[in-house]
């Protein structure tokens, strides 16, 4: 996962790794399954076949995963948008059972998986809706907004042009949007998706 940690994109290398790894996942330990999924998700390599294979290999073995490994796996599945409905249900059920033992950073990753599940699998839910509030609260505790100078400059320029907006608008889900007009549902992101990748490992 060194390339993923460094954020280095090497499509041909990752394609070769995916081709080999897909046929040998039964030999992988839980940590190796998670590291592989995390690396591919982090660099944004489209490897749907590999993610499907990892999900099929990981779901029956979730008892082998420690809390951090499980949370990292959930985040990778969410970022890659690859989990099937039945797999989402198993992950949410497992997360609910282990909820009291997760740290905030792990709850944040599970919250992101939950948001993915709500979007892609609308019928997915926790048996106890209070867990959703707990996940959101953990996410907000972990969310530290650090606007860049570029964001501030763009915001100032837009105001001069007459585009009034809320700077660093926070949605109901707890996500921060660089600039938004909630009423018109218009928003602008200056730096883009890396906001939600940094330091999630």
């Amino acid at each position: 996962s060194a390339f993923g940690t460094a954020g280095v994109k090497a499509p041909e290398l990752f394609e070769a790794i995916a081709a080999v790894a897909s046929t040998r996942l039964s030999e992988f330990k839980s940590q190796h399954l998670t590291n592989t999924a995390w690396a591919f998700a982090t660099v944004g390599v489209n490897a749907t076949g590999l993610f499907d294979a990892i999900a099929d290999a990981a779901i029956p073995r979730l008892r082998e995963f420690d809390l951090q490994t499980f949370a990292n796996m959930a985040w990778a599945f969410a970022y890659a948008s690859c989990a099937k409905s039945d797999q989402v249900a198993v992950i949410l059920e497992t997360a609910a059972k282990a909820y009291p033992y997760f740290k905030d950073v792990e709850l944040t990753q599970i919250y992101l998986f939950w948001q993915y599940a709500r979007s892609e699998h609308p019928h997915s839910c926790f048996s106890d809706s209070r867990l959703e509030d707990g996940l959101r609260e953990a996410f907000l505790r972990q969310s530290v907004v650090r606007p860049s100078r570029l964001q501030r400059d763009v915001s100032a320029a837009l105001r001069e042009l007459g585009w009034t907006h809320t700077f660093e608008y926070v949605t109901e889900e707890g996500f921060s949007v660089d600039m938004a007009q909630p009423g018109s549902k218009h928003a602008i992101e200056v730096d883009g998706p890396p906001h939600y990748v940094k330091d999630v490992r």
Side-chain angles (χ1 to χ4, degrees), residues 123-197:
H123 298 296
S124 302
C125 63
F126 285 109
S127 56
D128 185 345
S129 61
R130 290 175 296 181
L131 293 180
E132 299 169 24
D133 295 332
L135 291 174
R136 182 179 185 277
E137 290 170 4
F139 176 75
L140 291 174
R141 288 193 294 269
Q142 287 288 301
S143 300
V144 179
V145 178
R146 299 187 181 92
S148 67
R149 180 175 178 178
L150 176 60
Q151 287 173 254
R152 296 185 186 280
D153 289 345
V154 171
S155 176
L158 289 172
R159 291 186 191 281
E160 289 182 8
L161 292 172
W163 196 72
T164 58
H165 58 273
T166 301
F167 186 69
E168 291 296 348
Y169 174 75
V170 179
T171 68
E172 291 182 3
E173 294 80 12
F175 295 106
S176 177
V177 180
D178 290 349
M179 286 150 268
Q181 287 183 332
S184 66
K185 296 186 178 180
H186 292 150
I188 293 178
E189 274 290 306
V190 176
D191 296 324
H195 284 354
Y196 304 105
V197 177

Side-chain angles (χ1 to χ4, degrees), residues 31-48:
Q31 183 70 56
H32 300 150
L33 290 170
T34 291
N35 287 352
T36 303
W38 181 89
F40 274 79
T42 300
V43 298
V45 174
N46 185 6
T48 303

